[in-house]
Amino acid sequence: MRHTPGSRRLRHLTLLAVSVAMAATLTACGSDPDKADAPTTSASPAPTGAVTRAEAARILDRYEEINAKANKIQNPALLGTVEGGQLYEQSKADYRLFPTWSKKDQAYYEKPFTYRDRSYYIPQGQTWFAVQATASGSKSPALLVFDKTSDRRFKMVAAVYTDPKSPIPAVDTSNHGLATAADPTKRMGTLAPEQVSAAFEDLYETGDMSISRLASTTVTSTAVNTYRERTTYKNAKYATLHWEATQPTHPKIYVLRLRGGGVLAVFPTAHNRMEQLKDGYIYSGNVKIDPGSQQAIFDKTPRVAILDEFQGQALAQFTPSGEPKVLGVEYQMVDSR
């Protein structure tokens, strides 16, 4: 995975035509000086997390090294030794779609980069930890999540970037320097973290912010605008568009308590985008939708309907009395049929 302002996974969907050419996120990673909150002194035994900060730094360093090698040759098996979850689903799709990208984007994706200005958030009693960092060559802060997967390796399972103008809120590390995990099923404000994906995906289906129970952000506004484009996009004369939520491939949600109250959640999200000929054109028998270059990677057959599956990951801030703010979201098309 590699993040770059010019060529990245879709933060949101942009409708171009029947032959939609979706942008791809790039990702890869290295090491810089680490930041750590000073532990709180106490007479009681210090609690522990899944790793120490030094161990977390080494895990991220190894990820950067292996990720750079895998990106250079688009090797999903190699990448799978250090990456998992929704992030890995997106990265595997990156590799499949790589031939459709411009030479400039391909070269950028293959170029290694490092994560700098790191802050480690290691919750007590969990199998996972998070890192806030900024990728070299980017101004967008990211929240990275590493979890111990079924093969008992720590792998990066999420990496969500936010707008530089929307800083990631401060995580509570008052527990001897450790972070504190929160229950994704517990309501915080208008929604629980486990409910925010459905609320967000409903914006693509209905375009109705009034029933979403989400705060208005750049991310939610883009989702609503995408819904509105269904009647004005290039092929609206003879085809229809609609979106529907689908199940994320990896459903685990990661939640951290924030300083001063509230929580920060990294959550999976997913939807299908359906483009279908209108009835009159379907019955004519001689009109088909030609897949775009990226859609054709999965199925190049012209057809009366094209269904694109997008797997995503997102970051949201929850406050005790307000509406959740979706700070960042990234999708990648992982199938088209």
Side-chain angles (χ1 to χ4, degrees):
M1 80 132 183
R2 175 128 172 77
H3 176 75
T4 165
S7 177
R8 58 189 174 225
R9 292 197 184 104
L10 293 178
R11 297 258 180 116
H12 0 268
L13 292 180
T14 300
L15 303 181
L16 302 179
V18 167
S19 302
V20 175
M22 294 299 184
T25 301
L26 308 181
T27 323
C29 319
S31 82
D32 275 336
D34 303 333
K35 293 190 292 184
D37 293 278
T40 304
T41 58
S42 172
S44 60
T48 60
V51 294
T52 65
R53 280 188 174 82
E55 290 168 338
R58 288 195 292 271
I59 290 168
L60 182 49
D61 289 345
R62 180 174 181 271
Y63 173 83
E64 292 172 342
E65 177 186 358
I66 300 301
N67 183 48
K69 292 178 180 178
N71 286 349
K72 183 68 175 178
I73 56 175
Q74 296 90 58
N75 186 325
L78 177 60
L79 185 64
T81 63
V82 293
E83 196 169 288
Q86 289 291 94
L87 181 62
Y88 187 45
E89 299 302 321
Q90 295 179 321
S91 294
K92 288 187 292 184
D94 283 349
Y95 290 170
R96 291 192 66 175
L97 298 171
F98 186 85
T100 69
W101 300 349
S102 69
K103 295 297 182 183
K104 180 180 178 180
D105 288 343
Q106 289 178 347
Y108 197 95
Y109 194 93
E110 292 174 341
K111 182 180 179 181
F113 73 93
T114 62
Y115 278 117
R116 53 187 171 78
D117 300 327
R118 301 177 182 179
S119 294
Y120 296 95
Y121 303 131
I122 304 169
Q124 179 183 2
Q126 302 295 315
T127 63
W128 57 277
F129 66 92
V131 185
Q132 181 177 329
T134 303
S136 57
S138 172
K139 296 181 180 180
S140 299
L143 192 69
L144 319 173
V145 178
F146 287 83
D147 200 353
K148 186 175 286 187
T149 55
S150 58
D151 58 5
R152 303 191 64 76
R153 296 179 183 178
F154 280 102
K155 298 180 181 181
M156 189 187 289
V157 296
V160 185
Y161 293 81
T162 66
D163 190 295
K165 297 179 181 179
S166 301
I168 297 173
V171 173
D172 180 8
T173 55
S174 60
N175 182 18
H176 297 77
L178 295 179
T180 301
D183 184 354
T185 68
K186 185 176 180 180
R187 182 170 171 171
M188 177 68 68
T190 59
L191 293 170
E194 69 171 6
Q195 297 174 309
V196 71
S197 175
F200 181 68
E201 293 297 348
D202 189 66
L203 297 180
Y204 286 103
E205 294 185 45
T206 69
D208 191 348
M209 277 295 296
S210 66
I211 62 173
S212 70
R213 292 182 289 174
L214 295 172
S216 178
T217 64
T218 301
V219 178
T220 57
S221 295
T222 302
V224 171
N225 289 337
T226 300
Y227 167 81
R228 291 172 179 167
E229 289 173 357
R230 77 197 189 287
T231 60
T232 60
Y233 85 113
K234 182 178 179 180
N235 300 304
K237 179 179 179 180
Y238 60 87
T240 61
L241 282 171
H242 70 270
W243 292 260
E244 60 180 16
T246 190
Q247 290 299 313
T249 303
H250 301 274
K252 189 168 181 177
I253 302 171
Y254 301 90
V255 188
L256 291 168
R257 294 199 181 280
L258 295 172
R259 292 179 189 170
V263 299
L264 185 68
V266 177
F267 63 94
T269 192
H271 57 234
N272 292 326
R273 171 185 178 273
M274 172 69 82
E275 184 167 26
Q276 185 172 6
L277 290 177
K278 294 179 179 179
D279 287 349
Y281 291 95
I282 291 176
Y283 298 138
S284 71
N286 59 359
V287 178
K288 298 289 177 65
I289 301 174
D290 291 321
S293 61
Q294 294 198 349
Q295 293 166 320
I297 291 291
F298 302 97
D299 185 352
K300 62 182 180 181
T301 308
R303 46 204 187 270
V304 299
I306 295 180
L307 186 147
D308 301 323
E309 178 186 347
F310 291 85
Q311 290 290 328
Q313 50 184 330
L315 181 69
Q317 178 183 0
F318 296 74
T319 57
S321 59
E323 298 172 323
K325 295 180 180 179
V326 182
L327 304 176
V329 63
E330 298 185 33
Y331 291 100
Q332 180 57 290
M333 182 168 64
V334 301
D335 193 18
S336 182
R337 50 194 184 272

